[in-house]
Amino acid sequence: MRSRLAKLVLRLSGWTAVGEVPRTGVLVGAPHTSNWDFVMMLLIMWRGGVTPRVLIKKELFRGPLGWLLTRLGGLPVDRANPGSVVRELMREARSGEPFLLILAAEGTRKKGEYWKSGFWRIGRSAKLPIVLAFIDGPSRTAGFGPTMMATADVVADMDKVREFYRDKRGIHPERRTEPLLREELTAGGGS
């Protein structure tokens, strides 16, 4: 049912979904420039018959919205203390069951200085593939690009990520944050 609904909504809204929906991995959702990004990624995942886990700031889980977000795969995160939810996710990821976690690399819909490194750290620690997913408003296209395994070289890994996201703009291109991790800044790397 969800799959048919998702296909219908995407078709009626004029968006094109590309790529195969993965079953396991850490999915980088970028550029994250709008509240609609969450809805778009859910539709694309449902189109492929998958309900992912999504980290969302805990403040949004108040009242009836909390119930809805939980039903849609949302996991509340205390951004000041994310350790406990990350540990639980690592246990889930290592269970051997299909596991797909969506993370907004920017961590916010506003333009920032750098991406959050959680997707890279979780992918590397759990030995899960990192799936590059995107939303590109100007072309009205969203979906999945390449999959990669994190290595010990964050700068080299992020060079691959930057190349993929080079032409992806998001729904509000002016809010797009360039794919650069704080770790790269301190290591002297980046483009």
Side-chain angles (χ1 to χ4, degrees):
M1 177 66 172
R2 280 183 176 178
S3 178
R4 284 189 290 207
L5 173 66
K7 288 174 185 175
L8 176 66
V9 171
L10 287 167
R11 189 175 72 239
L12 292 175
S13 64
W15 280 80
T16 301
V18 298
E20 292 297 316
V21 179
R23 298 291 184 237
T24 298
V26 177
L27 193 140
V28 179
H32 181 38
T33 63
S34 165
N35 285 328
W36 289 105
D37 297 346
F38 175 70
V39 174
M40 181 64 67
M41 273 297 132
L42 273 181
L43 288 171
I44 291 170
M45 302 301 277
W46 288 355
R47 170 185 140 268
V50 175
T51 299
R53 307 299 299 263
V54 183
L55 295 181
I56 302 171
K57 64 183 173 180
K58 72 175 185 172
E59 293 81 5
L60 293 178
F61 283 81
R62 296 188 180 118
L65 184 58
W67 175 85
L68 178 62
L69 290 174
T70 300
R71 298 277 303 168
L72 296 175
L75 297 166
V77 175
D78 178 355
R79 292 194 285 183
N81 186 20
S84 63
V85 75
V86 169
R87 282 188 295 278
E88 177 57 34
L89 286 170
M90 296 298 278
R91 276 192 292 278
E92 247 183 85
R94 292 179 179 142
S95 73
E97 295 294 316
F99 176 82
L100 189 61
L101 173 67
I102 297 178
L103 295 173
E106 289 104 328
T108 181
R109 294 171 313 280
K110 301 174 189 146
K111 187 170 180 66
E113 292 180 47
Y114 51 82
W115 282 14
K116 307 288 184 190
S117 60
F119 74 90
W120 183 82
R121 288 185 291 119
I122 292 171
R124 186 159 187 258
S125 296
K127 295 178 176 50
L128 287 170
I130 295 172
V131 181
L132 304 182
F134 72 96
I135 295 176
D136 187 56
S139 68
R140 297 188 69 78
T141 304
F144 308 99
T147 297
M148 60 185 264
M149 295 301 291
T151 69
D153 188 345
V154 66
V155 175
D157 290 349
M158 286 305 295
D159 283 345
K160 294 175 188 171
V161 170
R162 269 188 289 281
E163 179 56 30
F164 175 73
Y165 285 107
R166 184 176 44 81
D167 62 348
K168 311 303 186 276
R169 300 290 172 235
I171 293 174
H172 296 288
E174 69 281 1
R175 296 182 191 164
R176 181 178 179 269
T177 299
E178 290 301 317
L180 180 68
L181 299 180
R182 180 176 31 201
E183 289 83 352
E184 291 181 283
L185 294 173
T186 59
S191 305

